[in-house]
Amino acid sequence: MRYDYDVVVIGGGPAGHQVAYALADKKRVLIVENDLWGGTCPNRGCDPKKMLYGVVEAKRQTSLYQNKGLAGTAELTVDWPAMIDFKDSYTSKIPGATEGGLRQANIHHNRGTAKLLSNHAIDLEGEELSADKIIIATGAKAAVPNIPGAEFIEISDDFLNEKVFPEKIAIIGAGYVAIELANIAVTAGVEVHVFQRDHEILKAFPAEYTKQVADNLIQKGVHFHWNAHVTRVKKTANELEVGTDDENVAGFKHVYAATGRPANVAALDLSAAGVEMAETGGVKVNEYLQTTVENIYAIGDVAASPAPKLTPVAGIEGRYVAKLISGEISEPIHYPTIAQLIFAGPELGQVGVSLDVAKKNPADYETMAYDLSGWYTYNRIQDASAQATIVVNHDSGMIVGATVLATNAEELLNYFAEMIANEHTSEDLSKWVPVYPSAASDLQYLYE
């Protein structure tokens, strides 16, 4: 049977684009997007968030250099509208540039909402199209609690587009998005209240480190409402009030939900093609990223794959499926060492074997805690609380995991990721001559 397309990709984010570009010269490909070309990350996610983070981190770093060469009585302030305009100077170009790239590569692309009709057919805004392979890459969407006043609750997209200094905000949740937005806002001078249903934040990270992140945010001025079950949001005049089982807190200009990002599948009608959802959320996939229907794949944040839901992972999965479809490979997907980081000023990151796993398996792993404040780099940038815990394999003696809490931890974590992925030993490290002085050259302290 001849189909309209060899491959239809539903979703124009990082995962979908990797497939489309990789197969453009080999297959008849159509990529469909019903929102912004480029997806969440560059338009309203990690990229714009880090531009705001860069501004507020500059303010924090400047304060650390007071009386260390910088002087002045006036505190550096964040110009909120100018900061958002700075972010917009980047994001405003993304959809057009992304679509332009597809056009230049002669990749068929359409704006519109796709719905599955069968395992080989989709409905695209009333037009039926057939395909040999269908790839679901629709990402995830922010969840909003189903409570009275839900219509007044906003999401991270709204935060990143807020043109007016918000004065006082509430954030429901304490995961990745909540903590990073709270840090940006409080450093910019906003009064921030975080409502969390228990007494933990960032549950994918070690508790001894996340407690320090919470303490850092409290010192900056964030108000944590622990064990707070938000039951309602009420609008009164020009303000919003958040109600929990125990209290009512008023005076908010905005209330943001950051309680998770479920798979974006509402418009797909998965059941029409026999595609199933996993019990844990996301589209159910096997080790080849096939759904419960052999010719339909799911990649990126929409898929219930075992890897963290990160933009680089979406790219890995997209490239893998493209190679699988083109016949270049036939083995199951293999994920490389993947680092995760929270931009919370200072940053918290981890890679490889986690501290929790290491502590539960003392016969296999040893953990070693390091105070990094004495390292040249952290002394230079005045990070007196910089620290890391390294996980070492008992048999090989090699580093297999690391957790870092420090200013610019992303740089150090990238080095650890490379060391772990390539199984570098201390002898390998001694043969490496990085720029001196730098965070890379400071790694020698691990082996002294």
Side-chain angles (χ1 to χ4, degrees):
M1 176 179 178
R2 179 171 175 82
Y3 299 101
D4 295 321
Y5 293 95
D6 296 317
V7 180
V8 166
V9 182
I10 305 174
H17 273 84
Q18 289 292 340
V19 177
Y21 276 98
L23 294 178
D25 295 332
K26 306 177 183 72
K27 304 284 184 179
R28 290 171 295 126
V29 178
L30 169 68
I31 184 169
V32 177
E33 173 59 55
N34 68 354
D35 195 0
L36 298 177
W37 289 109
T40 296
C41 180
N43 285 295
R44 51 170 77 105
C46 38
D47 288 356
K49 170 210 66 185
K50 195 170 181 185
M51 295 187 77
L52 305 189
Y53 180 73
V55 173
V56 300
E57 267 296 274
K59 177 177 185 259
R60 189 179 75 87
Q61 185 63 57
T62 299
S63 70
L64 294 175
Y65 280 140
Q66 284 291 315
N67 303 316
K68 301 291 189 304
L70 291 180
T73 56
E75 182 183 359
L76 191 65
T77 59
V78 173
D79 182 334
W80 185 280
M83 180 174 68
I84 299 300
D85 285 344
F86 170 57
K87 181 269 301 181
D88 288 345
S89 70
Y90 172 81
T91 57
S92 62
K93 301 180 180 72
I94 296 298
T98 305
E99 186 176 12
L102 292 170
R103 188 178 299 112
Q104 188 173 9
N106 293 316
I107 298 172
H108 289 207
H109 57 283
N110 275 325
R111 278 290 305 274
T113 299
K115 181 174 69 171
L116 295 174
L117 296 175
S118 70
N119 63 324
H120 284 289
I122 67 166
D123 173 275
L124 180 60
E125 302 292 339
E127 180 183 5
E128 183 174 340
L129 298 170
S130 62
D132 182 27
K133 302 284 193 297
I134 297 173
I135 300 173
I136 300 170
T138 49
K141 295 190 72 172
V144 174
N146 184 20
I147 57 175
E151 65 270 23
F152 304 122
I153 299 176
E154 299 173 274
I155 58 176
S156 59
D157 300 15
D158 303 299
F159 178 99
L160 293 171
N161 288 321
E162 179 52 53
K163 299 286 189 181
V164 179
F165 180 72
E167 297 181 12
K168 181 178 178 180
I169 67 171
I171 301 175
I172 305 172
Y176 273 80
V177 175
I179 294 305
E180 292 185 333
L181 297 190
N183 175 68
I184 290 169
V186 75
T187 311
V190 177
E191 182 179 334
V192 179
H193 292 249
V194 174
F195 293 82
Q196 172 61 354
R197 65 181 184 272
D198 52 29
H199 207 293
E200 294 181 79
I201 69 170
L202 304 171
K203 294 185 179 182
F205 289 79
E208 60 263 39
Y209 276 90
T210 59
K211 184 181 184 304
Q212 293 179 69
V213 173
D215 288 344
N216 290 340
L217 290 172
I218 290 169
Q219 289 177 18
K220 292 180 182 182
V222 173
H223 303 271
F224 279 96
H225 300 257
W226 302 114
N227 301 308
H229 176 217
V230 176
T231 57
R232 62 196 175 279
V233 174
K234 181 180 179 183
K235 187 173 179 62
T236 58
N238 296 320
E239 298 178 343
L240 295 171
E241 178 182 286
V242 174
T244 73
D245 290 337
D246 302 314
E247 61 179 344
N248 295 314
V249 186
F252 296 112
K253 294 298 183 183
H254 301 274
V255 176
Y256 298 102
T259 54
R261 296 182 63 83
N264 180 23
V265 296
L268 288 174
D269 194 6
L270 297 177
S271 61
V275 175
E276 298 176 7
M277 294 288 286
E279 292 182 5
T280 53
V283 177
K284 188 175 183 179
V285 292
N286 62 15
E287 57 189 352
Y288 297 92
L289 299 180
Q290 291 170 303
T291 68
T292 47
V293 179
E294 186 178 8
N295 70 295
I296 300 180
Y297 300 79
I299 57 176
D301 288 2
V302 74
S305 53
K309 302 306 170 194
L310 303 170
T311 298
V313 174
I316 289 168
E317 293 182 345
R319 290 189 293 274
Y320 166 79
V321 166
K323 289 182 178 180
L324 197 66
I325 290 174
S326 64
E328 295 177 48
I329 58 174
S330 58
E331 64 271 14
I333 189 168
H334 170 73
Y335 293 98
T337 302
I338 299 169
Q340 301 178 71
L341 194 81
I342 303 295
F343 293 95
E347 299 159 9
L348 172 62
Q350 64 182 4
V351 64
V353 177
S354 69
L355 296 190
D356 290 342
V357 169
K359 289 177 180 179
K360 290 176 182 177
N361 297 275
D364 299 320
Y365 305 109
E366 179 183 1
T367 61
M368 294 179 287
Y370 291 87
D371 177 354
L372 307 184
S373 62
W375 286 20
Y376 170 80
T377 295
Y378 297 107
N379 178 62
R380 176 179 61 79
I381 62 178
Q382 289 296 286
D383 187 348
S385 62
Q387 58 195 283
T389 302
I390 309 303
V391 179
V392 176
N393 182 283
H394 270 313
D395 293 335
S396 66
M398 287 190 287
I399 294 175
V400 294
T403 300
V404 181
L405 177 61
T407 300
N408 204 25
E410 59 189 289
E411 181 179 359
L412 193 57
L413 204 67
N414 281 334
Y415 295 134
F416 283 131
E418 197 275 338
M419 292 166 64
I420 294 167
N422 293 291
E423 300 182 341
H424 286 316
T425 64
S426 57
E427 183 179 351
D428 295 328
L429 196 61
S430 69
K431 298 175 183 177
W432 182 42
V433 186
V435 170
Y436 182 89
S438 65
S441 65
D442 284 350
L443 288 170
Q444 64 183 306
Y445 301 132
L446 291 175
Y447 297 99
E448 290 184 346

